[in-house]
């Protein structure tokens, strides 16, 4: 996918969709992880019951995985980059002084408040106010 560049305003307008998508992805991941954590002792269950349970879990795992990746594609189609699902960390390409930077947003923030150089990562977050000066 080609880079999509955002201004602070255009990135801000996408936040309601992004927040909804991140929450859905986090919930789907929890459900997938729960299925993956199921352990059945084959010595304690009849073969038929074991087979049925495994089939049911497998079907649910694949259904949830499909939903997860479908939602991820929807999020990526906005043009943002999901950096960390657990934290809800999202970056947006932006041009500033002739170079690419990332506008940076994290779940729980009411708006985009920070940016960082492409190679700086989250640790290099700088307040947006510095962009406007």
């Amino acid at each position: 996918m080609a880079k999509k560049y955002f201004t602070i305003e255009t990135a801000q307008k996408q936040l309601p969709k992004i927040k909804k998508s991140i929450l859905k992805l986090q919930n789907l991941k929890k459900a997938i992880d729960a299925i993956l954590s199921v352990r059945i002792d084959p010595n304690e269950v009849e073969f038929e019951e074991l087979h049925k349970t495994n089939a049911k879990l497998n079907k649910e795992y694949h259904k949830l995985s499909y939903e997860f990746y479908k939602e991820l594609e929807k999020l990526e189609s906005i043009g943002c980059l999901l950096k960390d699902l657990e934290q809800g960390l999202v970056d947006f390409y932006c041009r500033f002084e002739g170079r690419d930077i990332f506008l940076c947003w994290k779940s729980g923030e009411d708006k985009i408040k920070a940016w960082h150089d492409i190679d700086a990562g989250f640790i290099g977050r700088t307040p947006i106010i510095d962009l406007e000066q």
Side-chain angles (χ1 to χ4, degrees), residues 21 24 69-79:
S21 193
K24 185 172 183 178
Y69 286 103
K70 188 175 174 185
E71 188 64 32
L72 188 58
E73 284 178 351
K74 202 162 101 179
L75 180 63
E76 289 174 344
S77 73
I78 293 171

Side-chain angles (χ1 to χ4, degrees), residues 62-111:
H62 286 286
K63 177 182 157 244
L64 291 170
S65 293
Y66 174 78
E67 288 178 36
F68 180 89
Y69 286 103
K70 188 175 174 185
E71 188 64 32
L72 188 58
E73 284 178 351
K74 202 162 101 179
L75 180 63
E76 289 174 344
S77 73
I78 293 171
C80 59
L81 300 163
L82 178 62
K83 294 297 184 111
D84 186 309
L85 178 58
E86 194 173 308
Q87 293 183 54
L89 190 59
V90 176
D91 284 344
F92 303 83
Y93 278 104
C94 180
R95 295 289 291 168
F96 179 68
E97 295 180 345
R99 70 184 198 277
D100 286 357
I101 63 166
F102 282 134
L103 299 174
C104 185
W105 176 81
K106 183 179 175 185
S107 285
E109 296 176 342
D110 58 335
K111 61 183 182 175

Side-chain angles (χ1 to χ4, degrees), residues 45-61:
V45 182
E46 295 289 327
F47 177 78
E48 232 176 82
E49 187 62 34
L50 178 64
H51 181 67
K52 271 184 176 176
T53 302
N54 278 338
K56 195 181 283 186
L57 288 170
N58 196 23
K59 182 178 178 181
E60 187 65 15
Y61 168 81

Side-chain angles (χ1 to χ4, degrees), residues 24-38 57 60-61 64-65:
K24 185 172 183 178
L25 285 166
Q26 288 171 333
N27 288 333
L28 286 165
K29 183 168 182 337
K30 284 178 191 172
I32 290 167
D33 289 347
I35 289 171
L36 292 174
S37 72
V38 172
L57 288 170
E60 187 65 15
Y61 168 81
L64 291 170
S65 293

